[in-house]
């Protein structure tokens, strides 16, 4: 891979230049001024590769130097920053990040006018490491020293971001190892096969009354289709249904497995007077997601950035912007991921794309392409405060002019041809200003056929759960055979907690006979959204701003 590194002209920058000249056969450099500060632009030239990666892009460096941009980005993501004159600092943390890895954490404690400094391990303060990693990522930096302080009021605040730190010897050597690793990343990706899984969510409404019906009335906690951990406060009911298909390296097979899971779900809840809804917030106050799991691939800043830009933005442009903005007040932020206990990770930024089989298949195919070829699509369209604010507000007009560039980069990848047919619905929807319909029954979008029973009522609660369900098979997580993934929601304040697992044995007893370990959540009151363009099936007709597919 061709590498370009921007590093300030200090002693470390000079040493880095000399080290790279020794490591690689062909290295060039020039002096580049950014905001009146001189930087080495060190270029490693690899004539056997057409892939190029810039470590600490000029835009990212400017973000770190420009107080207004830094403040705008951190504010958009609800990250506390800056100190007032009245605030007292009890402790400071200097966290060195290199390619999404925490290299070191230096803690300085201030006690009665004295300072005590020491280095700690990442596991000794996971919260600080996660915050520093996220700050560097949002600013756009691959190498950075993020300084965070703990105030007397017990609040963490970001006070400095340095794109050209001067680390100790052992930390410098680790940075060099990361650079060597990055130089071979494009070749590694050509040799691996990314495995994917998913746990998209949906909700059920009574089509006559419009009232929500808890998923726990129909589905067990575990298995190929079940209930998410979230429950209604002070009740045992769990409102959100979750599909947990068998993972696969093929996105087409994964989509087929989702269809199989939905067919099983349809047998457990075979009622005509219900609607199954997906999207971002199909029921006011309840946000749902379409998490995608990846394994057999290492998570780094480049991969997460590619997912945000080349998967997150296209899906952002076809989702309902009003409900998406409501969801992102707490879930689905930029760079939202969770590491899994058994390896791999899940990408959590997307709303539930389960709205139709065509859309779900296209999203999964796009995810596969981006994950397997992310080194070849390094552009960052989210690297400004304006872009990140627009993302959280659901401002599709801000990103629409960027789409042709984004999609052109996707079309130039070799894997695109393999999934070209399945992907066409995405550019068609975006170019025709079509968004998905969160009020349309997803069973129609998946052509699951007519439900068997006519009506659902309270007396059907027990009948909805047969003592044995032979049609529902146990699911396997992406990372561990014989286990099903669990979706535990995480707010924007605790976004990197490790995932949990649950056994795939199916318990179809009524909820009152089963123990409950779910977590509570506060239901946020939100205003109703206005009618906009939607996609179900059939022909396109025009609406006030969006086209509508009926």
């Amino acid at each position: 891979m061709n590498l370009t590194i921007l590093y300030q002209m200090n002693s470390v920058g000079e040493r880095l230049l000399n080290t790279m000249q020794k490591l690689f056969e062909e290295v060039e450099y020039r002096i580049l001024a950014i905001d009146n500060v001189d930087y080495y632009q060190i270029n490693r030239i690899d004539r056997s590769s057409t892939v190029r990666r810039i470590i600490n892009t000029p835009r990212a460096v400017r973000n770190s130097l420009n107080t207004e941009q830094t403040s705008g980005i951190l504010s958009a993501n609800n990250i506390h920053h800056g100190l007032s004159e009245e605030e007292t600092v009890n402790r400071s943390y200097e966290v060195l990040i290199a390619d999404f890895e925490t290299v070191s954490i230096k803690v300085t404690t201030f006690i009665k006018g004295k300072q005590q400094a020491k280095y700690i391990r990442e596991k000794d303060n996971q919260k600080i490491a996660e915050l520093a990693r996220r700050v560097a990522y949002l600013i756009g930096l691959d190498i950075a020293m993020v300084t965070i302080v703990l105030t007397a009021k017990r609040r963490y605040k970001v006070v400095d971001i340095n794109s050209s730190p001067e680390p100790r010897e052992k930390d410098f050597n680790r940075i060099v190892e990361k650079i060597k690793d990055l130089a071979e990343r494009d070749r590694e990706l050509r040799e691996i096969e990314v495995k994917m899984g998913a746990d998209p969510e949906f909700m059920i409404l009574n089509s006559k009354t419009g009232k929500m019906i808890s998923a726990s009335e129909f589905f067990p906690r575990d298995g190929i289709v079940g209930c998410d951990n979230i429950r209604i406060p002070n009740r045992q009911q769990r409102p959100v249904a979750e599909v947990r298909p068998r993972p696969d390296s093929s996105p087409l097979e994964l989509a087929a497995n989702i269809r199989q899971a939905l067919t099983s779900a349809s047998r457990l809840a075979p009622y005509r007077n219900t609607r199954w809804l997906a999207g971002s917030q199909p029921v006011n106050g309840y946000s749902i997601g379409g998490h995608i799991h990846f394994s057999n691939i290492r998570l780094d800043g480049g991969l997460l950035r590619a997912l945000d830009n080349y998967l997150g933005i296209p899906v952002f442009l076809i989702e309902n912007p009003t409900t998406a903005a409501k969801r992102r007040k707490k879930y689905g932020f930029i760079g939202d991921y969770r590491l899994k206990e058994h390896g791999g990770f899940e990408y959590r930024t997307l709303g539930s794309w389960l709205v139709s089989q065509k859309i779900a298949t296209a999203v999964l195919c796009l995810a596969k392409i981006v994950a397997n070829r992310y080194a070849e699509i390094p552009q960052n369209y989210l690297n400004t405060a304006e872009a990140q604010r627009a993302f959280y507000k659901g401002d599709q007009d801000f990103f629409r002019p960027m789409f042709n560039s984004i999609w052109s980069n996707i079309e130039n990848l070799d894997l695109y041809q393999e999934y070209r047919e399945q992907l066409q619905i995405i550019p068609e929807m975006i170019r025709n200003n079509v968004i998905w319909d969160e009020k349309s029954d997803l069973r129609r979008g998946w052509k699951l056929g007519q439900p068997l029973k006519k009506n659902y009522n309270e007396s059907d609660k027990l009948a909805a759960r047969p003592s044995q369900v032979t049609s529902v098979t146990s699911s396997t997580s992406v990372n561990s055979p014989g286990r099903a993934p669990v979706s535990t929601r995480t707010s924007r304040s605790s976004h990197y907690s490790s995932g949990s697992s649950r056994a795939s044995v199916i318990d179809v007893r009524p909820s009152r006979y089963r123990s409950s370990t779910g977590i509570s959540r506060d239901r946020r009151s939100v205003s109703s959204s206005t009618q906009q363009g939607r996609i179900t099936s059939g022909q396109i007709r025009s609406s006030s701003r969006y086209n509508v597919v009926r």
Side-chain angles (χ1 to χ4, degrees):
M1 180 189 295
N2 295 276
L3 281 179
T4 295
I5 303 175
L6 296 183
Y7 218 94
Q8 192 174 335
M9 290 183 64
N10 54 25
S11 59
V12 178
E14 186 174 350
R15 184 180 177 191
L16 184 60
L17 171 60
N18 294 332
T19 302
M20 290 189 64
Q21 287 174 332
K22 293 176 183 177
L23 284 175
F24 304 112
E25 292 183 4
E26 193 171 353
V27 174
E28 299 176 348
Y29 80 94
R30 68 187 184 95
I31 308 301
L32 180 68
I34 301 178
D35 290 356
N36 298 319
V37 179
D38 288 337
Y39 285 78
Y40 286 115
Q41 179 179 304
I42 309 171
N43 301 308
R44 182 261 175 145
I45 299 172
D46 182 358
R47 300 193 182 278
S48 65
S49 174
T50 58
V51 178
R52 185 187 180 208
R53 169 83 178 269
I54 303 177
I55 298 176
N56 289 3
T57 65
R59 164 59 68 183
V61 172
R62 288 190 182 97
N63 286 343
S64 67
L65 295 174
N66 187 310
T67 304
E68 184 177 345
Q69 274 293 320
T70 299
S71 178
I73 289 172
L74 298 183
S75 296
N77 291 275
N78 294 332
I79 296 174
H80 299 295
H81 58 282
L83 281 174
S84 65
E85 294 180 0
E86 297 80 18
E87 287 183 294
T88 304
V89 174
N90 288 348
R91 198 174 299 141
S92 72
Y93 301 85
E94 295 176 69
V95 188
L96 181 60
I97 303 295
D99 194 34
F100 224 54
E101 178 182 312
T102 303
V103 176
S104 66
I105 304 176
K106 181 182 179 182
V107 185
T108 303
T109 305
F110 304 94
I111 304 174
K112 296 180 180 180
K114 297 182 180 180
Q115 299 182 17
Q116 295 179 353
K118 66 176 181 179
Y119 283 87
I120 64 173
R121 294 170 294 182
E122 179 176 353
K123 67 178 183 180
D124 295 330
N125 198 326
Q126 187 70 29
K127 184 176 182 178
I128 284 292
E130 292 165 354
L131 177 57
R133 188 160 45 239
R134 185 167 184 231
V135 167
Y137 174 79
L138 292 169
I139 296 297
L141 295 171
D142 301 287
I143 298 173
M145 180 77 79
V146 180
T147 303
I148 302 166
V149 298
L150 177 65
T151 68
K153 293 183 178 180
R154 311 300 296 174
R155 173 170 285 183
Y156 290 110
K157 289 192 168 187
V158 178
V159 295
D160 188 59
I161 305 167
N162 185 355
S163 65
S164 299
E166 299 186 38
R168 55 184 177 167
E169 177 74 17
K170 62 185 295 187
D171 295 341
F172 176 84
N173 292 335
R174 286 185 65 182
I175 291 175
V176 171
E177 289 301 314
K178 295 295 292 184
I179 292 172
K180 289 168 60 178
D181 189 40
L182 275 173
E184 301 300 322
R185 191 69 48 85
D186 60 329
R187 292 181 178 86
E188 290 178 8
L189 292 175
R190 292 280 177 174
E191 298 173 358
I192 66 171
E193 188 68 54
V194 176
K195 194 173 187 180
M196 293 168 52
D199 54 357
E201 298 164 333
F202 66 95
M203 301 193 73
I204 302 177
L205 260 63
N206 185 314
S207 57
K208 298 290 180 65
T209 66
K211 293 183 178 180
M212 178 187 70
I213 305 174
S214 291
S216 53
E217 299 297 339
F218 308 114
F219 308 129
R221 286 285 304 280
D222 308 312
I224 197 170
V225 60
C227 307
D228 186 68
N229 268 357
I230 300 305
R231 61 182 173 87
I232 299 174
N234 304 318
R235 301 185 188 180
Q236 296 302 315
Q237 295 171 315
R238 288 172 171 77
V240 179
E242 185 175 80
V243 177
R244 310 179 190 112
R246 188 172 58 253
D248 204 285
S249 57
S250 166
L252 302 181
E253 288 299 320
L254 180 57
N257 295 343
I258 291 175
R259 180 179 176 81
Q260 180 186 16
L262 288 173
T263 300
S264 297
S266 188
R267 295 192 189 106
L268 292 174
Y271 301 103
R272 294 183 181 180
N273 66 329
T274 61
R275 281 189 295 154
W276 295 13
L277 307 180
S280 295
Q281 199 180 92
V283 177
N284 281 347
Y286 292 93
S287 298
I288 59 176
H291 306 158
I292 301 179
H293 300 237
F294 299 91
S295 63
N296 198 33
I297 189 169
R298 177 175 36 181
L299 176 64
D300 62 20
L303 173 54
L304 189 60
R305 193 168 291 127
L307 289 171
D308 275 343
N309 283 272
Y310 289 94
L311 178 62
I313 291 178
V315 174
F316 171 89
L317 289 171
I318 66 173
E319 66 187 1
N320 184 308
T322 303
T323 57
K326 292 176 181 178
R327 173 178 177 261
R328 290 197 170 100
K329 291 178 180 178
K330 195 172 183 181
Y331 307 110
F333 50 84
I334 296 169
D336 193 356
Y337 76 96
R338 178 183 291 161
L339 298 177
K340 308 304 289 183
E341 287 182 346
H342 307 290
F345 69 99
E346 65 176 354
Y347 181 63
R348 301 168 57 84
T349 298
L350 310 179
S352 179
W353 32 262
L354 207 56
V355 286
S356 77
Q357 185 168 355
K358 282 188 175 181
I359 289 176
T361 303
V363 169
L364 294 173
C365 289
L366 184 56
K368 173 70 173 184
I369 293 172
V370 172
N372 255 118
R373 295 292 183 266
Y374 76 88
E376 301 174 36
I377 44 175
Q379 290 81 359
N380 191 352
Y381 300 90
L382 289 161
N383 202 16
T384 64
E386 294 77 12
Q388 295 185 24
R389 282 194 292 263
F391 184 81
Y392 289 120
K393 290 178 181 178
D395 185 357
Q396 294 179 333
D397 288 338
F398 181 90
F399 290 97
R400 202 175 299 279
M402 306 175 189
F403 176 72
N404 285 339
S405 173
I406 292 171
W407 203 249
S408 176
N409 292 334
I410 293 293
E411 290 176 326
N412 289 333
L413 299 174
D414 60 328
L415 282 180
Y416 171 79
Q417 296 302 325
E418 187 172 343
Y419 304 109
R420 179 174 183 169
E421 180 180 350
Q422 290 79 14
L423 289 170
Q424 285 312 299
I425 190 172
I426 293 178
E428 286 176 5
M429 289 179 67
I430 293 172
R431 287 164 181 161
N432 288 287
N433 284 7
V434 176
I435 60 173
W436 65 36
D437 186 356
E438 296 191 1
K439 300 303 180 184
S440 177
D441 193 328
L442 66 87
R443 291 175 296 183
R444 286 188 297 172
W446 285 81
K447 299 180 180 178
L448 297 180
Q450 287 293 325
L452 299 177
K453 296 185 180 181
K454 185 174 182 180
N455 292 315
Y456 166 80
N457 54 55
E458 291 294 315
S459 63
D460 290 325
K461 286 183 179 181
L462 296 181
R465 296 178 186 165
S467 58
Q468 290 184 340
V469 185
T470 56
S471 62
V472 180
T473 59
S474 63
S475 68
T476 309
S477 76
V478 181
N479 311 300
S480 175
R483 299 188 70 85
V486 59
S487 171
T488 304
R489 295 174 186 270
T490 307
S491 70
R492 289 166 70 174
S493 61
S494 56
H495 38 271
Y496 290 118
S497 59
S498 61
S500 59
S501 60
R502 64 161 70 117
S504 59
V505 178
I506 301 172
D507 186 353
V508 295
R509 293 174 294 165
S511 60
R512 64 176 181 271
Y513 297 125
R514 289 183 274 116
S515 61
S516 171
T517 57
I519 60 174
S520 298
R521 70 175 281 231
D522 292 329
R523 184 172 183 233
R524 294 183 286 109
S525 62
V526 291
S527 60
S528 60
S529 60
T530 57
Q531 185 87 354
Q532 300 189 82
R534 297 176 179 172
I535 179 164
T536 52
S537 60
Q539 63 184 15
I540 296 177
R541 70 180 179 82
S542 136
S543 149
S544 58
R545 176 181 174 190
Y546 299 98
N547 288 325
V548 184
V549 176
R550 298 292 189 191

